[in-house]
Amino acid sequence: MKNLVSIVGLLLVSTSILSQTEKSVEGNVDNLPVKEYTITINEAIVNKVGKEVKGMTINGTIPGPVLEFTEGEYAVIYVKNEMDEETSIHWHGLLLPNFFDGVPYLTTPPIEPGHTQKYEFALKQSGTYWYHSHTLLQEQSGVFGSFVIHPKEETLEYDKELVLMLSDWTNENPMDVLRNLKRRNEWYGIRKGTATPLNQVIKRGAFGAQLNFWRQRMEGADIADVYYPAFLINGKQSIEYPEFKPDEKVRLRIIDGGASTSFWMTFGGEDPLLVSADGIDVEPIKKNKTFIGIAETYDYIVTIPESGKMEFRITAQDGSGTASAFLGTGKVLPAEIVPRPDKIGMMQKMAKMDMKMGAHALKYRPSKDESIKMKNEYGMLMKGDAMKTMGQEDSKMDHSKMEDDKKMKDSMEKTMDSTMAGMDHSKMAMDDMKMQDPKKESMSGMQGMDLNSEYNYDFLKSPEKTTYPKGTPVKEILLNLTGNMQRYIWSMNGVPLSESDKIKIEGNQVTRITLNNLTMMHHPMHLHGHFFRVINKNGEYSPLKHTVNVPPMQEVTIEFYGNEYGDWFFHCHILYHLMGGMARVISYDTPPDIRMKGFPVSVAVAETDRFYSWGLLDASSQSTTMNLVASNMRNQFNALVEYGYNENLEAEFTYERYLHDYFRVFAGVNIENKTEDSFNEFKTIAVAGVRFLTPYLFSLDARIDSELRTRIGLGRSIMLFPKFAVFGYYEYQLDLGFVNDLPTNKGYASETVWNVGAEYFLSKNISLSGNYESRFGAGGGLSIRF
């Protein structure tokens, strides 16, 4: 009875705290003007790039409508789900009550099929924001739109405004895209021309650099993962706005709503005036070529030319495509063309640096904090000493010391000339012209390369100081951004979301997070429900943002003051990286919202640890092999069946457990007919062993079976030319006679099996193949992936 009274009392206190918190955050609607919208999410057949496919629309369009409000209004938005699956809407960048943030099962219930969900919150900010689904990969299919909040009093001078929503489009089912990335199919790189086959590497004199990458279990310098047939501005590859008149000043509200594409933005005509970032005003600065990370927003004021129309051009970060918007009428004033990045040159530059790559994305002991050790072991080792004691004296560091450390780190990076964050594209353009004309000087390995950063935020300066009162307690957190391209797993400190604990945030103190990128990919990191300082050269005037791009092998420091409640999502905004595990829950450790009862957060976490399945059928003239795989973060099931023309049939079924990225243990059974040309009798044995991805990317299989025979196998595949790869496999089995009888006068029995071959990729799922197998001889046929 005493325990029951205590529990009831605790529930009453929790409900009271929650009610008071919600009232203080949501405000009193009676004192605010109310503005309502209704948006409907549905499935539809759409055609964005010459092919009709199934997509998802909001009010029948992709992107969805612009939702416009004025600061100080009370927003009431009804979201109808007319699909056959759950959906959700997250209000990206908005400061609102935790319950309406829109992450299903974490803060907000999912919107079930046929249901309508009401979102309501006071608008206490202004600027350019957006909204999108936070359910699986629905954003990639079209569930996104823009959200504009006009200030009560305008401080900027312009005549008109225009929202430009940037996006990427795939005709594939997004879940199939992720499955293809999980199985490490090289087709996307081949299709968009960003692959670096060995012949190109050797031609550029970069074989040593390639060996360095292979030694660290990396294929090369990856920039973007997915092939997109189109990049879009407001849903179009090219779009005209002739209504704008000469000399008009137009505010462009630009949002990168791409699922996995960051863009270079360039403008024709006069350099535009950058006035806002992530919805918050910055010191106006003339800036043309600008990098916009996924989920970021930038506002510019442009002047329409007196004669002609200006081009606004976006170029995918990996150079695989563009889109343009034209403002005005007449002759086009073209925007700068941004050339493709030089991936081989990047590899060469990195090979000369004191750098260790390949930090684990899946640790052996995920519960053990080894973040500082990981930072010191991997990345640019020359930078390691600058902050190697970080985290040891968290509460002793003040803001002035942090700024001094930042200046010291920046100075070191400049003198190194070794930051892996960007390139001098103007020089590259000249070098590309040389490469296109064989009569001109060819581009040497490093000519035109300048890896000093183009991706930092030094151009952003807050109009007002953004520092917190001196003496405010500071909590330091180090998050190494880690990934494994072989299995497409993404994590922080080598721990994916499904194996992580919540990051506890204390109220009334500053949380300072160092984001140290130990991968070859950019990571746009977004914190829900907060704005944070992005520490740059402007010190006390460092800008406030809700999303920050962290370049490869670089680090960015952010900090925010804890004045919220509830749990908030913090994640990479590349959707496929989020689904691969690069996320955390930031928690104020307050009582749970009773409205979330029945919607466990474990459902949201499980989305990042789903099983994906795929198969490969090699059908050739001398044998047929089928391999089936089902895999999640730690577990994998395999079924391998091989049939030779001489009626040799072998099947193997195994379960694997990944202990970390490159090492796993397995056990299973092997079934084989005892004699060739006969299916009358089969032999079944148990097998167990380890599988290991070695340096230089060889797949090693070492095992022992129930007859105490040992076997070791080693295999490798290399892309020699575009679309053309070679492969080989060697296997040696040894029987010392512990169970089986050995041949007369021999102390052991052994068997060797090997094959070599090549394949030519016809499409994502089909290849021509030919090989020679030691048991079955030569043959050719098709390789079919499914």
Side-chain angles (χ1 to χ4, degrees):
M1 183 67 180
K2 183 177 179 181
N3 289 338
L4 179 59
V5 171
S6 299
I7 293 173
V8 171
L10 179 61
L11 288 175
L12 289 174
V13 171
S14 300
T15 304
S16 175
I17 293 173
L18 178 63
S19 175
Q20 291 174 17
T21 305
E22 288 177 347
K23 287 180 181 178
S24 65
V25 174
E26 293 179 16
N28 187 350
V29 66
D30 294 335
N31 298 329
L32 300 176
V34 178
K35 188 170 185 180
E36 294 187 2
Y37 279 97
T38 297
I39 60 176
T40 303
I41 304 174
N42 211 335
E43 292 182 343
I45 300 300
V46 298
N47 188 334
K48 291 294 183 182
V49 58
K51 182 179 180 180
E52 291 189 343
V53 297
K54 186 170 73 172
M56 297 177 180
T57 63
I58 303 179
N59 290 2
T61 64
I62 300 175
V66 179
L67 305 185
E68 290 193 70
F69 295 89
T70 300
E71 181 183 7
E73 290 182 330
Y74 192 84
V76 177
I77 306 170
Y78 297 93
V79 181
K80 293 183 177 181
N81 180 11
E82 295 188 352
M83 302 190 296
D84 295 328
E85 60 186 81
E86 289 182 353
T87 190
S88 60
I89 289 292
H90 162 58
W91 312 100
H92 188 107
L94 296 191
L95 301 174
L96 38 58
N98 182 263
F99 180 73
F100 294 113
D101 186 55
V103 180
Y105 298 99
L106 177 64
T107 62
T108 313
I111 310 173
E112 297 176 352
H115 287 224
T116 297
Q117 192 150 290
K118 180 183 180 182
Y119 296 83
E120 54 180 324
F121 40 86
L123 297 173
K124 49 189 178 182
Q125 63 196 105
S126 63
T128 303
Y129 305 98
W130 63 303
Y131 60 94
H132 59 83
S133 171
H134 228 293
T135 300
L136 299 176
L137 298 170
Q138 290 180 358
E139 181 193 318
Q140 176 76 90
S141 295
V143 188
F144 60 92
S146 51
F147 197 108
V148 174
I149 308 173
H150 298 281
K152 291 180 179 178
E153 296 183 5
E154 186 60 74
T155 58
L156 298 171
E157 294 184 2
Y158 56 92
D159 302 306
K160 297 178 180 178
E161 65 178 49
L162 174 66
V163 174
L164 297 175
M165 173 66 79
L166 320 181
S167 63
D168 42 33
W169 181 260
T170 175
N171 285 329
E172 297 182 65
N173 183 314
M175 293 304 293
D176 288 340
V177 171
L178 182 53
R179 185 165 63 97
N180 197 55
L181 295 170
K182 288 281 187 180
R183 68 178 301 165
R184 193 53 178 164
N185 186 344
E186 297 288 347
W187 177 252
Y188 288 148
I190 295 171
R191 181 67 180 83
K192 59 185 177 179
T194 60
T196 54
L198 194 59
N199 74 311
Q200 295 180 13
V201 171
I202 294 174
K203 182 179 179 181
R204 292 280 301 279
F207 185 62
Q210 181 67 83
L211 285 176
N212 180 61
F213 269 71
W214 286 346
R215 178 176 58 84
Q216 301 189 72
R217 299 185 180 90
M218 301 178 69
E219 286 288 357
D222 288 298
I223 294 179
D225 304 317
V226 182
Y227 164 68
Y228 290 107
F231 301 98
L232 310 174
I233 301 175
N234 288 348
K236 304 287 185 181
Q237 289 180 273
S238 180
I239 190 166
E240 301 269 350
Y241 292 99
E243 64 269 26
F244 297 116
K245 307 304 179 185
D247 294 325
E248 283 187 330
K249 293 185 180 299
V250 181
R251 179 173 185 163
L252 300 180
R253 299 179 179 269
I254 304 171
I255 306 163
D256 187 350
S260 69
T261 307
S262 297
F263 295 99
W264 288 105
M265 304 184 295
T266 53
F267 300 78
E270 297 180 2
D271 286 347
L273 191 67
L274 174 61
V275 296
S276 177
D278 284 0
I280 295 184
D281 288 351
V282 296
E283 287 284 354
I285 180 174
K286 285 191 174 183
K287 184 171 176 59
N288 196 313
K289 179 183 166 187
T290 309
F291 183 80
I292 183 170
I294 299 162
E296 292 186 309
T297 74
Y298 285 110
D299 287 21
Y300 291 85
I301 293 178
V302 300
T303 302
I304 304 300
E306 291 185 5
S307 60
K309 55 185 175 183
M310 61 161 287
E311 178 187 18
F312 167 72
R313 182 185 182 96
I314 59 171
T315 303
Q317 182 190 357
D318 65 352
S320 59
T322 66
S324 293
F326 299 92
L327 284 66
T329 57
K331 183 180 178 181
V332 174
L333 277 68
E336 176 188 347
I337 296 175
V338 180
R340 283 183 180 241
D342 181 8
K343 292 177 62 176
I344 295 176
M346 292 164 60
M347 289 170 53
Q348 289 176 299
K349 184 71 173 179
M350 295 181 67
K352 296 180 179 179
M353 294 157 54
D354 185 11
M355 175 183 294
K356 183 178 180 182
M357 298 175 283
H360 291 313
L362 202 63
K363 285 175 46 181
Y364 175 62
R365 293 177 293 184
S367 61
K368 185 177 181 180
D369 182 9
E370 299 174 308
S371 57
I372 296 176
K373 178 183 176 182
M374 179 178 286
K375 175 182 171 64
N376 290 336
E377 182 177 358
Y378 292 94
M380 286 183 210
L381 305 182
M382 293 174 66
K383 297 195 301 181
D385 291 339
M387 298 182 72
K388 66 183 180 182
T389 59
M390 193 181 84
Q392 297 175 355
E393 299 182 5
D394 295 344
S395 60
K396 297 180 182 180
M397 293 182 66
D398 60 19
H399 291 276
S400 60
K401 183 179 184 301
M402 182 274 297
E403 298 292 352
D404 290 341
D405 286 346
K406 175 64 179 173
K407 291 177 182 177
M408 178 176 67
K409 186 177 77 68
D410 289 343
S411 176
M412 292 174 65
E413 291 175 355
K414 290 177 182 178
T415 59
M416 286 162 49
D417 186 29
S418 59
T419 59
M420 174 48 210
M423 288 163 280
D424 187 333
H425 289 278
S426 61
K427 293 181 180 179
M428 287 181 60
M430 296 176 63
D431 289 330
D432 284 350
M433 292 174 62
K434 294 177 183 178
M435 293 179 68
Q436 293 168 9
D437 187 349
K439 296 180 181 179
K440 297 183 179 180
E441 178 185 355
S442 62
M443 180 177 176
S444 64
M446 288 315 301
Q447 188 177 12
M449 291 297 299
D450 180 2
L451 295 183
N452 287 325
S453 177
E454 280 192 272
Y455 299 110
N456 65 47
Y457 290 97
D458 287 347
F459 62 93
L460 295 179
K461 183 178 182 180
S462 172
E464 301 175 351
K465 289 184 179 181
T466 57
T467 50
Y468 308 107
K470 194 170 183 178
T472 303
V474 176
K475 178 180 181 180
E476 294 268 0
I477 297 173
L478 171 61
L479 294 177
N480 297 292
L481 307 182
T482 44
N484 179 345
M485 289 293 291
Q486 300 295 326
R487 299 188 61 229
Y488 212 77
I489 289 174
W490 302 94
S491 57
M492 301 184 197
N493 292 336
V495 182
L497 176 65
S498 57
E499 298 182 352
S500 70
D501 295 324
K502 294 179 180 180
I503 297 177
K504 297 296 179 65
I505 302 298
E506 300 292 337
N508 302 317
Q509 75 174 19
V510 171
T511 299
R512 182 180 301 143
I513 302 177
T514 296
L515 299 166
N516 182 40
N517 189 352
L518 295 178
T519 79
M520 297 301 300
M521 308 288 292
H522 288 248
H523 297 293
M525 304 301 296
H526 171 51
L527 176 58
H528 288 219
H530 296 72
F531 278 84
F532 46 72
R533 300 180 73 232
V534 179
I535 308 304
N536 66 6
K537 72 174 186 179
N538 295 308
E540 294 178 326
Y541 295 88
S542 292
L544 296 173
K545 296 182 97 277
H546 54 61
T547 304
V548 62
N549 177 65
V550 188
M553 295 297 171
Q554 285 292 322
E555 65 179 43
V556 176
T557 299
I558 65 174
E559 60 181 20
F560 60 92
Y561 184 75
N563 59 356
E564 280 290 349
Y565 68 97
D567 292 345
W568 302 89
F569 217 20
F570 181 49
H571 63 91
C572 177
H573 220 283
I574 296 177
L575 293 192
Y576 302 100
H577 291 185
L578 166 59
M579 288 288 289
M582 189 175 279
R584 284 291 187 275
V585 174
I586 300 288
S587 177
Y588 284 85
D589 204 22
T590 52
D593 193 314
I594 58 175
R595 292 171 289 184
M596 291 301 294
K597 184 178 181 181
F599 301 100
V601 69
S602 59
V603 176
V605 173
E607 289 184 356
T608 65
D609 193 22
R610 296 162 62 97
F611 270 92
Y612 296 86
S613 59
W614 57 85
L616 174 66
L617 176 65
D618 285 322
S620 63
S621 56
Q622 87 279 37
S623 66
T624 298
T625 302
M626 184 170 66
N627 189 17
L628 303 176
V629 177
S631 180
N632 72 350
M633 291 286 183
R634 293 280 184 180
N635 307 290
Q636 185 163 304
F637 297 91
N638 306 285
L640 176 66
V641 180
E642 184 179 60
Y643 175 72
Y645 72 94
N646 58 353
E647 296 189 0
N648 176 249
L649 179 65
E650 182 178 2
E652 184 169 281
F653 305 93
T654 59
Y655 162 74
E656 301 181 350
R657 175 71 177 179
Y658 279 85
L659 300 184
H660 65 68
D661 283 344
Y662 311 124
F663 185 82
R664 67 237 200 227
V665 295
F666 72 92
V669 296
N670 183 281
I671 305 170
E672 187 175 9
N673 55 337
K674 281 190 172 183
T675 59
E676 296 181 357
D677 303 320
S678 172
F679 293 138
N680 293 328
E681 188 176 2
F682 285 86
K683 183 178 183 180
T684 301
I685 59 174
V687 295
V690 298
R691 289 174 176 143
F692 181 59
L693 183 67
T694 75
Y696 299 99
L697 297 175
F698 286 92
S699 295
L700 174 69
D701 181 312
R703 62 174 65 190
I704 188 170
D705 63 26
S706 53
E707 295 182 346
L708 301 183
R709 296 177 298 177
T710 58
R711 192 179 90 183
I712 188 167
L714 198 64
R716 178 76 157 91
S717 175
I718 299 176
M719 185 176 295
L720 285 184
F721 305 97
K723 298 186 179 182
F724 182 82
V726 296
F727 56 85
Y729 179 75
Y730 177 85
E731 176 186 298
Y732 179 79
Q733 181 172 284
L734 179 66
D735 187 350
L736 295 177
F738 296 120
V739 175
N740 298 319
D741 294 330
L742 297 177
T744 306
N745 301 323
K746 289 197 71 173
Y748 68 92
S750 64
E751 181 182 5
T752 299
V753 176
W754 58 270
N755 73 352
V756 292
E759 67 175 326
Y760 182 81
F761 292 86
L762 299 176
S763 69
K764 185 183 76 171
N765 295 322
I766 300 177
S767 301
L768 292 174
S769 63
N771 69 92
Y772 182 89
E773 219 271 4
S774 60
R775 294 171 298 174
F776 309 131
L782 291 176
S783 294
I784 302 172
R785 293 170 285 276
F786 55 93

